[in-house]
Amino acid sequence: MLQSKLPHVGTTIFTRMSQLATEVGALNLSQGFPDFASPQPLLDAAMRHLAAGHNQYAPMTGLPRLREQVALKVAGLYGRAVSAESEVTIVPGATEAIFCAVQALIRPGDEAIVLDPCYDSYEPSVQLAGGRCVHVPLNLPDFSVGWQRLRDAITPRTRLIFINSPHNPSGALLSRADLDQLAALIRDRDIYLISDEVYEHLVFDGAEHASVLAHDELYARALVVSSFGKTYHVTGWKTGYVVAPPVLSAELRKIHQYVNFCGVTPLQHALADFMAEQPQHIVELPAFYQAKRDLFCDQLAGSRFTFTRSPGTYFQLADYSAIRPDLDDVAMSEWLTREHGVAAIPVSVFYQQAPADMRLVRFCFAKREETLLAAGELLCRI
Ligand code: PMP
Ligand code: GLN
């Protein structure tokens, strides 16, 4: 009998809820992806590069012209001059990057600290490297970091801390002061960071994204992960990048070259064209998504859900205590999908151990106006 290396892992909640939404014909506000078209010039560029014959392997580290664009962006937004050659790696998706980064950092017996609720791929990546995740819950209700709890969780075996800002599923943001606290905490310790910044451009109400890329001390021991999928409305392209100091990039690349070797060539060309030709896209992104958040929240305000507007990401949490306090959040998400035609994601699945009285579901508002209005109407009827 084969002994599973991941005995507690099943099909992810994202797959299950999207399947259920399709099965029952519900509006799918569960798995995070846009239901609107990707930018036409980006699609045109992809077709152009396919037709031009850019269909063979890309360099293992990514097309130089795309790495250059990433380096320019990092310099422009975060004030860091990074080498496109030795510090930027193009990867087939942030998920692959996280997996490879973990394999590079974690040895058997090592501990990695995750802040719950956290993205579902972190823990299996650590387990497959022979390590163990130590779960530190974020403070409720604002999902801020409990610094004393984090300090208490550090042991001589701690090798890695994951941070994720803007945060999936809560939308919470880390501030520059938070990054300073973190730097003080790991100073003089042999601890590395994976900073999951896939929603870096989705910050609202005038807030600025506090990137590890703008923090000298943290950057020195970090791998910063981003995803073109979120930024350019192409989650299915599974293309992302990692920025890390040369030594860490070199270790990441040793793994990446045997997991996937390289990302998809014509898509990398298309992204490089688009980044060069449409620099305003990322500037306009916060307002674009804030309008969607507000449209959805204005609808939700007429329902019995309670919420505070999400500060970032394309997710909105909603508390359903006033509606079905008898249901846990998995049952609530299924009930919403089957009985009310709107699919959501339960928040407890992002936890090792969610608080028993937590009554939160996550809605994705990366949707067309008509989808958000229709969903709002259904949710207001409950
Ligand atoms: N991290 C977080 C927090 C995410 O929400 C996602 C998106 N599913 C990823 C990583 C993975 O991104 P990608 O689709 O580029 O693999
Ligand atoms: N990041 C997406 C979400 O949180 C899901 C990606 C996936 O399906 N693995 O909804």
Side-chain angles (χ1 to χ4, degrees):
M1 243 309 250
L2 177 69
Q3 284 241 309
S4 173
K5 294 186 76 174
L6 296 171
H8 305 298
V9 168
T11 309
T12 78
I13 192 70
F14 308 112
T15 303
R16 284 194 284 134
M17 291 313 302
S18 276
Q19 267 173 1
L20 182 61
T22 309
E23 203 180 296
V24 303
L27 295 172
N28 189 1
L29 269 52
S30 65
Q31 192 178 25
F33 63 88
D35 76 343
F36 46 86
S38 319
Q40 194 56 45
L42 179 59
L43 302 181
D44 292 343
M47 308 230 234
R48 209 166 53 237
H49 287 289
L50 283 166
H54 293 145
N55 299 307
Q56 309 310 329
Y57 295 127
M60 181 272 278
T61 58
L63 287 180
R65 54 191 300 262
L66 182 55
R67 283 188 274 119
E68 281 297 342
Q69 285 299 323
V70 171
L72 281 173
K73 183 182 108 169
V74 168
L77 283 183
Y78 305 122
R80 174 166 304 284
V82 292
S83 156
E85 187 57 35
S86 61
E87 295 179 87
V88 179
T89 307
I90 308 299
V91 288
T95 308
E96 196 252 26
I98 291 164
F99 184 84
C100 294
V102 169
Q103 305 314 306
L105 296 171
I106 292 288
R107 295 189 165 75
D110 283 348
E111 291 172 359
I113 297 179
V114 293
L115 300 168
D116 279 1
C118 73
Y119 190 57
D120 68 341
S121 85
Y122 301 166
E123 180 146 34
S125 303
V126 170
Q127 287 171 343
L128 289 172
R132 188 174 80 82
C133 271
V134 174
H135 294 257
V136 175
L138 292 167
N139 295 325
L140 292 173
D142 63 353
F143 297 90
S144 59
V145 179
W147 291 106
Q148 190 54 48
R149 255 190 304 210
L150 181 53
R151 191 171 294 115
D152 293 345
I154 293 177
T155 75
R157 289 177 183 272
T158 308
R159 194 65 50 233
L160 168 64
I161 298 176
F162 286 89
I163 55 173
N164 169 216
S165 177
H167 179 245
N168 181 5
S170 74
L173 308 178
L174 291 174
S175 65
R176 172 72 195 200
D178 288 321
L179 298 186
D180 289 341
Q181 289 251 29
L182 183 60
L185 202 62
I186 63 177
R187 195 170 293 149
D188 309 323
R189 291 187 162 105
D190 191 21
I191 295 177
Y192 295 86
L193 279 185
I194 292 179
S195 185
D196 181 343
E197 302 186 14
V198 298
Y199 301 103
E200 65 182 312
H201 302 295
L202 278 52
V203 291
F204 311 132
D205 307 314
E208 272 194 26
H209 170 54
S211 175
V212 163
L213 290 167
H215 197 289
D216 291 344
E217 192 177 351
L218 289 181
Y219 179 67
R221 44 169 97 192
L223 296 113
V224 180
V225 179
S226 192
S227 171
F228 296 108
K230 322 285 178 197
T231 303
Y232 297 105
H233 316 316
V234 285
T235 59
W237 283 18
K238 294 302 301 188
T239 305
Y241 64 85
V242 181
V243 184
V247 175
L248 292 177
S249 290
E251 292 306 314
L252 172 86
R253 291 168 177 187
K254 286 183 193 172
I255 317 260
H256 158 71
Q257 70 183 339
Y258 295 127
V259 172
N260 239 306
F261 186 72
C262 65
V264 179
T265 308
L267 303 184
Q268 292 189 47
H269 275 294
L271 287 161
D273 286 356
F274 192 77
M275 286 179 83
E277 288 160 17
Q278 311 271 345
Q280 80 287 1
H281 177 88
I282 55 172
V283 179
E284 292 165 358
L285 212 46
F288 173 82
Y289 270 117
Q290 185 173 325
K292 293 193 179 295
R293 179 202 64 175
D294 287 340
L295 181 69
F296 182 60
C297 286
D298 290 348
Q299 298 292 304
L300 209 57
S303 76
R304 289 194 290 151
F305 288 93
T306 55
F307 61 92
T308 46
R309 286 177 196 242
S310 182
T313 73
Y314 47 47
F315 301 117
Q316 176 64 52
L317 294 188
D319 189 305
Y320 61 90
S321 306
I323 303 173
R324 289 296 305 265
D326 57 314
L327 294 182
D328 68 29
D329 60 357
V330 175
M332 179 67 183
S333 299
E334 287 182 8
W335 182 75
L336 275 176
T337 312
R338 287 184 192 281
E339 305 299 325
H340 297 280
V342 182
I345 293 284
V347 170
S348 64
V349 299
F350 293 79
Y351 277 91
Q352 181 184 47
Q353 177 107 57
D357 58 350
M358 185 173 230
R359 293 287 179 270
L360 289 175
V361 290
R362 188 197 80 180
F363 295 108
C364 172
F365 56 78
K367 305 295 164 187
R368 285 171 292 158
E369 198 173 306
E370 59 259 43
T371 312
L372 295 174
L373 290 174
E377 201 181 309
L378 292 170
L379 295 172
C380 284
R381 280 193 215 147
I382 304 173

